[in-house]
């Protein structure tokens, strides 16, 4: 695991974008795993900049998003599809038929999970945030975790955290479809991003605590190629000796 911390938001975002750009330079047809939430947004902005400057093209890539709310169609302003469209897809040249997101209004959700799992090719690079409760994707803490794509009931904590995007808490969907922990860990490389003091403890527990279903992020310790990008606040529980210098490592 390589952990980096940044004093500026921009440096963090540039470092995240650089991992993606380096991959696309080597493999223009790379498969990217994408996340919603605030954590990756700055990285998407940097990627859009790089695309507009002609540094990279997304023409040949495929993308798979981690999750989608159940009950929201693609056009719903709070769907993850819309989130990705507004912040990334509309500003780059990814052919729309190669961007995959689970269907939140599928007629049969079990079938939809099977369909998504079948589509999921081996992801070259997964961008990942973490919830305050340790969820990755929407794999919520509990007694067990699912390996494959599945339907999940969102915890109250997650619904409250995400209610900032909705007009009220009762508008936040209660269920979602998410890739499983196995899907996430199969990615060749994971770029794990977290910001802010409120994430410091869960980031520490995920990276250095016991591996437990009570903290789904802790399974990231099993991944052989994990790059952790944190701001100073999110890194504040981590011993400085465990943090690497970005200049020499990336
Ligand atoms: P955030 O969400 O990036 O908005 O903090 C992360 C998550 O809930 O997985």
């Amino acid at each position: 695991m390589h952990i980096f911390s940044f004093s500026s938001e921009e440096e963090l975002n540039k470092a995240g974008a650089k991992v993606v750009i380096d991959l696309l330079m080597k493999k223009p047809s790379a498969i990217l795993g994408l996340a919603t939430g605030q954590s990756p947004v700055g990285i998407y902005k940097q990627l859009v900049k790089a695309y507009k400057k002609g540094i990279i093209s997304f023409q040949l890539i495929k993308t798979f998003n981690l999750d989608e709310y159940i009950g929201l169609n693609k056009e719903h302003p709070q769907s993850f599809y819309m989130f990705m469209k507004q912040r990334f897809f509309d500003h780059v040249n990814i052919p729309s038929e190669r961007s995959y997101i689970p269907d939140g209004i599928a007629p049969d959700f079990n079938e939809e999970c099977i369909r998504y799992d079948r589509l999921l090719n081996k992801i070259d690079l997964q961008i990942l945030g973490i919830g305050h409760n340790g969820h990755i994707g929407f794999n919520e803490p509990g007694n067990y975790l699912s390996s494959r794509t599945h339907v999940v009931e969102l915890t109250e904590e997650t619904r409250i955290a995400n209610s900032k995007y909705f007009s009220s808490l009762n508008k936040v969907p209660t269920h979602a479809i998410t890739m499983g922990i196995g899907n996430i860990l199969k990615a060749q490389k994971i770029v794990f991003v977290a910001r802010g003091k409120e994430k410091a403890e869960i980031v520490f527990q995920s990276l250095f605590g016991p591996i437990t279903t009570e903290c789904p992020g802790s399974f990231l310790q099993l991944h052989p190629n994990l790059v952790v990008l944190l701001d100073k606040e999110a890194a504040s529980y981590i011993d400085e000796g465990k943090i690497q210098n970005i200049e020499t490592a990336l």
Side-chain angles (χ1 to χ4, degrees):
M1 150 180 14
H2 300 286
I3 306 176
F4 305 98
S5 94
F6 301 85
S7 33
S8 103
E9 181 90 13
E10 197 186 357
E11 289 308 311
L12 189 162
N13 294 332
K14 281 187 175 163
K18 181 173 185 305
V19 181
V20 178
I21 292 167
D22 287 350
L23 170 66
L24 295 188
M25 296 284 185
K26 271 193 250 140
K27 188 176 179 185
S29 62
I31 299 174
L32 301 183
L34 301 179
T36 51
Q38 284 315 300
S39 305
V41 166
I43 296 177
Y44 298 147
K45 274 195 189 142
Q46 290 295 332
L47 290 174
V48 170
K49 268 195 197 166
Y51 165 70
K52 294 204 162 139
K53 282 187 190 157
I55 296 169
I56 41 165
S57 168
F58 296 94
Q59 186 70 38
L60 300 177
I61 73 163
K62 253 189 202 176
T63 67
F64 287 93
N65 263 77
L66 287 163
D67 42 22
E68 179 59 282
Y69 288 118
I70 283 185
L72 304 193
N73 63 28
K74 282 179 155 191
E75 281 69 41
H76 191 285
Q78 271 71 44
S79 72
F80 285 162
Y81 173 83
M82 200 49 95
F83 184 102
M84 292 307 302
K85 185 172 150 57
Q86 290 171 344
R87 289 159 181 87
F88 190 41
F89 296 156
D90 273 357
H91 311 288
V92 293
N93 63 336
I94 306 174
S96 57
E97 70 279 8
R98 287 219 289 276
S99 284
Y100 299 93
I101 299 189
D103 181 0
I105 54 157
D108 179 331
F109 292 117
N110 287 333
E111 283 297 321
E112 175 59 10
C113 293
I114 294 167
R115 184 191 76 91
Y116 203 67
D117 262 341
R118 280 206 196 107
L119 281 173
L120 266 180
N121 296 309
K122 205 160 168 45
I123 290 173
D124 291 293
L125 175 61
Q126 175 69 53
I127 295 176
L128 196 64
I130 189 162
H132 298 89
N133 64 357
H135 74 208
I136 51 175
F138 268 142
N139 294 277
E140 299 279 37
N143 295 330
Y144 64 88
L145 290 171
S146 298
S147 176
R148 314 289 295 266
T149 304
H150 60 286
V151 171
V152 66
E153 180 171 7
L154 302 176
T155 60
E156 191 67 0
E157 200 176 355
T158 294
R159 293 185 63 243
I160 291 169
N162 289 8
S163 64
K164 60 177 180 279
Y165 299 108
F166 292 81
S167 55
S168 66
L169 180 58
N170 64 14
K171 293 273 190 325
V172 184
T174 56
H175 290 75
I177 299 183
T178 182
M179 278 189 210
I181 292 286
N183 299 120
I184 295 171
L185 292 181
K186 261 181 22 198
Q188 287 288 319
K189 186 176 210 162
I190 297 178
V191 173
F192 174 55
V193 186
R195 302 162 207 269
K197 186 88 198 146
E198 71 282 4
K199 293 278 176 78
E201 191 175 347
I202 200 69
V203 165
F204 179 79
Q205 270 180 34
S206 296
L207 301 180
F208 299 104
I211 297 175
T212 162
T213 58
E214 290 302 332
C215 177
S218 64
F219 282 79
L220 294 173
Q221 293 175 44
L222 300 174
H223 196 276
N225 196 0
L226 179 69
V227 176
V228 182
L229 306 179
L230 306 171
D231 66 8
K232 289 272 179 240
E233 289 76 26
S236 58
Y237 281 42
I238 301 174
D239 190 297
E240 281 197 9
K242 302 220 182 303
I243 297 178
Q244 286 179 245
N245 181 346
I246 194 75
E247 302 302 330
T248 53
L250 275 187

